[in-house]
Amino acid sequence: GRAAWSVRFFEALLAGCVPVVLSDHYEPPFQALFDLTEFVIKWPMARIDASLTDFLASVPLEVVERYALAARRVRCWYLYPPPEISWLGNWEARHELEEVERSICPCLS
């Protein structure tokens, strides 16, 4: 996203990716609970140039894997299902979402 807040952060976590935050003002939620430096790369807006892609390409695979593992451990905190009212009359879609939630966040079931 291009704003100080974007759903992309949450989508990246739930997709098993390492979020790269390109905002000097966005503060991801739950910073008091987790060390975000373990699973988020925050990059200053003043340095959005070739150095960003150079940096990302230089991150060793084992570091990316460690970030992704840390992200998987906390991503359930960032899961925001649609409101109950949106599922009225569509039980099949609701069941499908519950199965996805169960596979991503077994501790919530």
Side-chain angles (χ1 to χ4, degrees):
R2 298 188 66 191
W5 184 91
S6 172
V7 72
R8 302 296 176 259
F9 176 81
F10 305 98
E11 289 176 339
L13 280 175
L14 294 175
C17 300
V18 176
V20 178
V21 176
L22 305 176
S23 173
D24 297 331
H25 305 289
Y26 177 64
E27 297 297 331
F30 308 120
Q31 292 185 76
L33 300 175
F34 312 117
D35 180 1
L36 271 63
T37 63
E38 293 181 357
F39 62 93
V40 175
I41 296 172
K42 199 164 183 187
W43 194 262
M45 292 293 292
R47 291 187 52 208
I48 297 180
D49 54 26
S51 66
L52 172 59
T53 55
D54 292 344
F55 171 78
L56 293 174
S58 74
V59 177
L61 181 58
E62 54 272 6
V63 172
V64 173
E65 290 171 344
R66 191 170 59 239
Y67 271 58
L69 179 61
R72 278 193 299 276
R73 287 189 194 117
V74 301
R75 67 183 175 181
C76 294
W77 283 83
Y78 299 94
L79 180 64
Y80 294 99
E84 295 290 326
I85 193 78
S86 66
W87 297 107
L88 287 178
N90 192 349
W91 299 111
E92 185 176 304
R94 166 134 181 136
H95 179 70
E96 184 178 327
L97 177 67
E98 287 173 349
E99 289 302 314
V100 169
E101 289 176 359
R102 232 183 318 280
S103 69
I104 292 174
C105 303
C107 58
L108 294 180
S109 299

